[in-house]
Amino acid sequence: MPTEDSPQNSVKHWQDCMDVYDFLEQIRLRPGVWLPGGSLRHLEAVLTGYRVALGVHAIDESFDFWPEERFTKWLHERRGTSSSLGWAAEIERTTPPDSTPIEEFFRLLDEYRRVAVSQTPNTSMSRFPGIEYIIANRARHAAVLQRRLICLVHSDDPDIRFDPVGAMPVMWNSDEWSDANRRG
């Protein structure tokens, strides 16, 4: 489903991608490989993983696809709507009958990139979301959809602490601690 607006038209390994847009072009070329069933929720999950990997490897790259970031804000302004479920749900809900959510996303992405070129990208990592942000964001989605969310965090840091998520404090299962001297 490449278009004349897409700068990339050859398949390459995902590790050879230079940035998120290069990676998205690879997904555009082979959406069936990356997105089972053509779901934008899968794309949103893949991009969440991409952003987490940037943070883990301390790569400073502009990333417009977090909720409340530039792509979501642009989409809501363009459509005159608001959604607590983010850009993927918004696009899936409003895809015209003669299109698919994937086609609609890439059409909107091309339009967004034409508009965003004239604006300076936000490359600051000052608001880099950590694991707490990811857990809280997924918890918000689960709450809106009236689903449960279970998060398992593995750490060998005996002093690791998390703020309460919603009204529930983070609980430790002391029976499964490999370190009996864990503080907490």
Side-chain angles (χ1 to χ4, degrees):
M1 143 168 67
T3 69
E4 63 276 356
D5 292 328
S6 59
Q8 196 63 256
N9 63 2
S10 63
V11 174
K12 59 184 173 184
H13 194 276
W14 65 267
Q15 290 178 325
D16 296 328
C17 295
M18 300 303 291
D19 62 13
V20 69
Y21 295 106
D22 198 12
F23 181 59
L24 284 167
E25 289 305 322
Q26 294 305 305
I27 294 173
R28 182 194 307 250
L29 290 172
R30 300 182 301 167
V33 171
W34 292 96
L35 309 173
S39 170
L40 288 183
R41 308 278 170 97
H42 290 294
L43 178 59
E44 188 175 42
V46 167
L47 291 176
T48 297
Y50 181 94
R51 183 58 172 127
V52 169
L54 290 176
V56 166
H57 297 288
I59 298 170
D60 188 7
E61 178 183 317
S62 178
F63 189 82
D64 296 340
F65 300 97
W66 276 125
E68 285 85 47
E69 282 297 332
R70 292 178 62 203
F71 181 75
T72 303
K73 288 178 182 175
W74 172 84
L75 180 67
H76 289 227
E77 287 173 14
R78 184 187 177 283
R79 293 194 167 172
T81 62
S82 179
S83 173
S84 62
L85 295 179
W87 59 265
E90 180 68 24
I91 294 170
E92 284 186 344
R93 269 187 344 175
T94 60
T95 296
D98 61 335
S99 185
T100 68
I102 301 299
E103 289 170 345
E104 185 69 4
F105 168 76
F106 283 111
R107 186 187 67 71
L108 289 165
L109 178 65
D110 291 339
E111 184 179 333
Y112 170 74
R113 290 186 75 188
R114 283 191 295 273
V115 170
V117 166
S118 64
Q119 300 171 355
T120 306
N122 176 15
T123 58
S124 170
M125 297 279 288
S126 62
R127 197 180 152 258
F128 174 72
I131 189 74
E132 300 90 357
Y133 177 86
I134 295 166
I135 292 171
N137 187 46
R138 291 292 143 196
R140 179 173 55 103
H141 283 263
V144 168
L145 296 172
Q146 296 182 348
R147 296 192 176 143
R148 294 182 183 171
L149 175 73
I150 298 173
C151 298
L152 304 176
V153 178
H154 175 81
S155 175
D156 59 358
D157 179 358
D159 296 316
I160 193 169
R161 298 281 183 269
F162 292 102
D163 292 330
V165 178
M168 184 71 176
V170 176
M171 307 293 286
W172 298 110
N173 184 348
S174 59
D175 295 335
E176 294 184 8
W177 287 350
S178 61
D179 178 4
N181 298 322
R182 182 175 189 96
R183 296 175 284 280

